[in-house]
Amino acid sequence: MPSSRPSAKAARVPTAIDSSSGGAASADPARSGCAVITGAAGAIGAAIAARFKAAGYRICGIDRVEPPAASVLDMYIQADLHAFVNDERAREDTLARIRDWLAGQPLRALINNAAHQYVSRVHPIAVAEWQRSYDVNVLAPYLLVSHLAAELERGGGSVVNIGSIHARLTKPGFLAYATTKAALGALTRGLALDFEDRFRVNCVEPASVDTPMLQDGFRSAPEKLQELRDHHPQRRIASAAEVAELVFQINSHDLRFLHGSCIDMSGGIGARLHDPL
């Protein structure tokens, strides 16, 4: 379940690093171009960036923290998506940096991967926490898609939102996260209807993904991580590279009729009923 917690500095103005001016020379023009990926510093975002880069894409990554030293990003914009939603100056600055980087080229792929995951069984949940969850998980993807619609349309582009199994099946303590991931699925369907054939919009809904963040959550009880794996029909959980591969294939021009879909990537766990017997 992808997660990248946003910065507490809500009014931060984005900074940018441009490290490359072009993609791979052997790129297939039918399957490459420019891609923008949010949450690019996390494990899933980095895997998505690596997969697109291997196909010859130029990559612009957005995250609230610095990218890893080994990042494949051509352009990096350090930005807090909570601020992107609430601070007009920060939003306009981020969009301007993206457009400057594109330099008139179309946007072939927009991957809304960043997420805020609030976990607590204490109620009432603070309104500020609800707002942060909606800002990062729902409103930021909407604003990016709607403000970059012209660039996406010029590229015959594709939007892939990274949702979660929590949109349909959740557990105690994940109320805010599950609610906003369900809203992201609804946003995906609604955008597909409103933008019609200008560009495609789809959503991937993974179950647990084997990332350093997930492993850290089980550090005090590693046997529970194995128990989580064993609950899945394949006796394992997804890798970040598998999520990245699905995202890349969805983006392909060969799948033009795939539009407005929320794709289950739960490894079969979403079909399993857990009873006492």
Side-chain angles (χ1 to χ4, degrees):
M1 44 195 97
S3 172
S4 177
R5 288 177 175 80
S7 168
K9 296 182 179 179
R12 186 173 191 172
V13 175
T15 58
I17 304 169
D18 191 345
S19 61
S20 175
S21 60
S26 60
D28 178 356
R31 292 174 63 88
S32 62
C34 297
V36 172
I37 303 169
T38 68
I44 295 173
I48 294 170
R51 180 63 183 92
F52 277 74
K53 187 67 173 180
Y57 277 77
R58 294 178 62 233
I59 312 294
C60 174
I62 301 173
D63 210 310
R64 65 179 180 84
V65 298
E66 292 286 348
S71 172
V72 301
L73 302 176
D74 298 295
M75 175 73 168
Y76 180 74
I77 300 174
Q78 189 171 1
D80 180 344
L81 293 182
H82 180 56
F84 178 83
V85 171
N86 292 283
D87 186 316
E88 186 174 358
R89 179 168 172 253
R91 179 165 62 253
E92 291 303 320
D93 189 72
T94 298
L95 292 168
R97 290 177 188 274
I98 293 171
R99 292 187 177 112
D100 286 347
W101 173 74
L102 287 170
Q105 297 181 68
L107 180 58
R108 190 61 186 82
L110 171 60
I111 315 300
N112 288 307
N113 168 67
H116 176 69
Q117 187 181 82
Y118 176 78
V119 181
S120 175
R121 297 182 69 174
V122 177
H123 295 278
I125 297 172
V127 171
E129 192 55 64
W130 275 110
Q131 191 62 56
R132 182 178 292 273
S133 295
Y134 267 102
D135 286 348
V136 177
N137 298 347
V138 184
L139 293 177
Y142 167 72
L143 289 170
L144 283 166
V145 172
S146 59
H147 281 280
L148 296 173
E151 289 80 2
L152 284 161
E153 184 175 10
R154 284 202 303 273
S158 169
V159 176
V160 182
N161 296 320
I162 306 302
S164 170
I165 191 174
H166 283 273
R168 298 174 295 104
L169 301 166
T170 192
K171 54 189 179 181
F174 285 77
L175 176 61
Y177 183 69
T179 301
T180 53
K181 286 300 184 180
L184 183 62
L187 178 71
T188 298
R189 294 185 291 272
L191 287 171
L193 294 175
D194 280 3
F195 284 100
E196 297 180 323
D197 197 38
R198 293 173 61 186
F199 51 85
R200 294 184 300 123
V201 187
N202 292 288
C203 183
V204 174
E205 296 180 339
S208 296
V209 180
D210 197 357
T211 65
M213 182 179 292
L214 181 135
Q215 292 171 14
D216 284 346
F218 287 90
R219 196 167 299 282
S220 62
E223 72 281 0
K224 292 294 184 182
L225 179 56
Q226 186 57 50
E227 186 177 334
L228 173 65
R229 295 188 179 108
D230 289 342
H231 271 315
H232 290 71
Q234 294 182 331
R235 300 292 187 268
R236 69 181 186 93
I237 56 179
S239 70
E242 287 175 309
V243 176
E245 184 63 34
L246 178 57
V247 170
F248 180 76
Q249 295 301 331
I250 290 170
N251 188 68
S252 169
H253 272 307
D254 298 333
L255 296 174
R256 291 292 302 168
F257 200 63
L258 186 64
H259 190 26
S261 297
C262 294
I263 301 171
D264 179 304
M265 193 181 186
S266 67
I269 191 67
R272 184 170 184 173
L273 180 64
H274 290 276
D275 281 338
L277 298 178

